[in-house]
Amino acid sequence: MAVAVKTNEYKTSLINNRRYLGNKYKLLPFITGVVNDECPDITSIADIFAGTGAVSSAFTDKVIITNDLMYSNYICNYAWFGAEEYDPQIIIECVVRYNSLTDLEDNYMTDNFADTYFSRDDCAKIGYIREDIEALYKKGDINTRERAILITSLLYAMDKIANTCGHYDAYRKGVEFDKALELYVPMANRQNNPNNQCFNTDSNDLVKNIEADLVYIDPPYNSRQYCDAYHLLENVARWEKPEVFGVARKMDRSTMKSKYCTQSATEAFEQLIGDIKAKYILLSYNNMAEKGNDRSNAKISDQDIMRILEKKGEVKVFSESYKAFTTGKSDIDDNQERLFLCRCFN
């Protein structure tokens, strides 16, 4: 029998309540303005480097296809945009129960991460909750989307208190852990478009098998691999309990590397554009080509972007200034996010 839970016993979260490198949430008015003005006849959008799903969240009136190479992003996108219905009461009851947990035993998280990114007690809680979500799913007590929403709640809660500067390349040593893990209830739509799809695969492979009116492309710009910056969230999302190593306690990430962070980015981009089936392609790419340090510099030149897109259709370029996220090693002025809109020939 369901247990009545008062609304003041839990807090809620929205899709943008998460820190993430390259997050486009603040640029949504710019992006949606271009789409609304230039692409009036679209009913479906494929966001093939979706990240946290911020851009997709602005187009929930359309059929949404999301994709990301990282499972931790895929599971969050499935939570927010998945076509499957879910029971909000189940999520609320689990969140309230998880937040009340105390005095937990050691587990994979305490064994590997105690007093690094999180305190020992929070690691015990993270490990217990993640194990419990899988147990509920395997017993059939929660469906696939409910599982995704609970994992999303956990990942957002972790990110809110993590002892980092916004990513997991390192943790700060000798600090006091003054914030305790608290899960929020994600305010995901109960009924999304039944034709929505969420993928966790290589974008270059995906575009060979999907079609959409608009394909939005927001690839990594530089050599910073997202699986390096968010390895711990990826570890907890996958929950395969791998061996971790080094000071940063990273797992093996060799199968999660993106070509768009390497010297082969231009070649990968050209192949991607050639295989896309859409009326419009909208590429988001900033003007970091020679502005930051070597790791920050863009991997694809403007000349190559234009050359490749102009083979596919008619191209317009839009730009808007914004403050770039840096790790403190780059002093970057006049940073611009550019949107390259390609109206495809066929």
Side-chain angles (χ1 to χ4, degrees):
M1 187 170 70
V3 178
V5 179
K6 298 177 182 177
T7 55
N8 61 2
E9 291 183 10
Y10 63 90
K11 299 174 184 175
T12 60
S13 62
L14 301 173
I15 192 170
N16 60 300
N17 296 144
R18 179 183 170 192
R19 301 173 294 179
Y20 200 72
L21 292 167
N23 191 313
K24 295 298 187 295
Y25 188 78
K26 292 181 179 179
L27 289 168
L28 285 184
F30 171 48
I31 295 169
T32 56
V34 169
V35 172
N36 292 337
D37 290 344
E38 302 288 336
C39 315
D41 53 342
I42 62 171
T43 60
S44 58
I45 289 182
D47 186 356
I48 61 174
F49 295 85
T52 62
V55 171
S56 290
S57 72
F59 297 100
T60 53
D61 60 327
K62 308 183 192 309
V63 175
I64 296 172
I65 301 171
T66 67
N67 177 62
D68 202 90
L69 192 58
M70 291 183 63
Y71 184 81
S72 51
N73 288 336
Y74 156 78
I75 204 71
C76 291
N77 287 321
Y78 192 83
W80 296 113
F81 308 116
E84 188 176 18
E85 288 188 40
Y86 77 97
D87 185 347
Q89 190 63 27
I90 289 176
I91 305 302
I92 291 168
E93 290 174 11
C94 285
V95 166
V96 171
R97 177 167 64 88
Y98 291 153
N99 284 337
S100 69
L101 295 170
T102 57
D103 301 323
L104 298 168
E105 296 178 354
D106 284 338
N107 52 47
Y108 172 79
M109 290 299 295
T110 58
D111 292 345
N112 290 286
F113 299 102
D115 298 324
T116 57
Y117 302 97
F118 306 97
S119 69
R120 183 268 164 204
D121 287 346
D122 281 329
C123 281
K125 202 169 183 178
I126 293 165
Y128 178 92
I129 291 169
R130 189 63 188 87
E131 196 71 27
D132 189 68
I133 293 170
E134 288 307 297
L136 292 173
Y137 182 64
K138 288 174 182 175
K139 287 191 296 182
D141 292 343
I142 58 175
N143 65 24
T144 304
R145 186 142 180 247
E146 288 157 355
R147 172 183 178 270
I149 292 170
L150 289 173
I151 295 172
T152 297
S153 178
L154 177 59
L155 296 181
Y156 274 48
M158 290 170 61
D159 204 48
K160 200 172 186 67
I161 66 165
N163 173 32
T164 69
C165 296
H167 50 83
Y168 298 82
D169 271 330
Y171 57 86
R172 294 170 292 181
K173 297 180 180 178
V175 301
E176 290 187 21
F177 296 94
D178 56 353
K179 297 179 181 177
L181 187 81
E182 180 183 11
L183 274 65
Y184 290 20
V185 174
M187 297 299 287
N189 289 334
R190 186 174 183 180
Q191 293 179 306
N192 287 321
N193 192 303
N195 295 314
N196 284 3
Q197 294 177 282
C198 302
F199 294 95
N200 172 216
T201 190
D202 186 293
S203 295
N204 282 56
D205 295 331
L206 178 69
V207 296
K208 298 174 185 177
N209 301 303
I210 63 167
E211 291 187 34
D213 291 334
L214 171 67
V215 173
Y216 175 72
I217 306 174
D218 184 17
Y221 302 154
N222 53 47
S223 63
R224 290 186 172 89
Q225 292 277 357
Y226 279 74
C227 61
D228 293 342
Y230 298 103
H231 63 93
L232 182 50
L233 299 182
E234 186 74 2
N235 190 340
V236 172
R238 289 174 179 265
W239 204 236
E240 296 166 348
K241 303 175 190 172
E243 180 183 355
V244 296
F245 48 88
V247 175
R249 314 302 292 150
K250 294 182 179 181
M251 60 185 180
D252 178 23
R253 304 166 312 287
S254 56
T255 61
M256 307 173 205
K257 303 288 186 178
S258 171
K259 295 187 291 287
Y260 291 86
C261 299
T262 70
Q263 294 300 320
S264 62
T266 301
E267 180 183 351
F269 179 68
E270 188 158 15
Q271 179 188 5
L272 179 80
I273 296 302
D275 288 333
I276 284 176
K277 296 177 282 292
K279 294 179 183 177
Y280 305 95
I281 297 170
L282 187 63
L283 169 69
S284 179
Y285 213 73
N286 70 23
N287 65 338
M288 287 282 291
E290 300 293 341
K291 290 188 174 183
N293 58 39
D294 287 344
R295 290 187 67 199
S296 297
N297 291 342
K299 291 295 181 184
I300 309 175
S301 70
D302 286 2
Q303 292 81 2
D304 280 328
I305 289 172
M306 293 300 295
R307 173 182 61 81
I308 292 166
L309 288 179
E310 285 177 340
K311 286 196 296 184
K312 189 75 172 182
E314 299 176 2
V315 181
K316 291 184 180 180
V317 183
F318 306 84
S319 65
E320 178 158 300
S321 297
Y322 78 106
K323 183 173 177 56
F325 174 91
T326 75
T327 56
K329 298 177 182 177
S330 304
D331 185 13
I332 300 162
D333 296 320
D334 187 33
N335 201 52
Q336 290 186 330
E337 186 72 24
R338 283 94 46 78
L339 292 175
F340 297 79
L341 177 65
C342 177
R343 185 188 296 267
C344 300
F345 290 136
N346 49 46

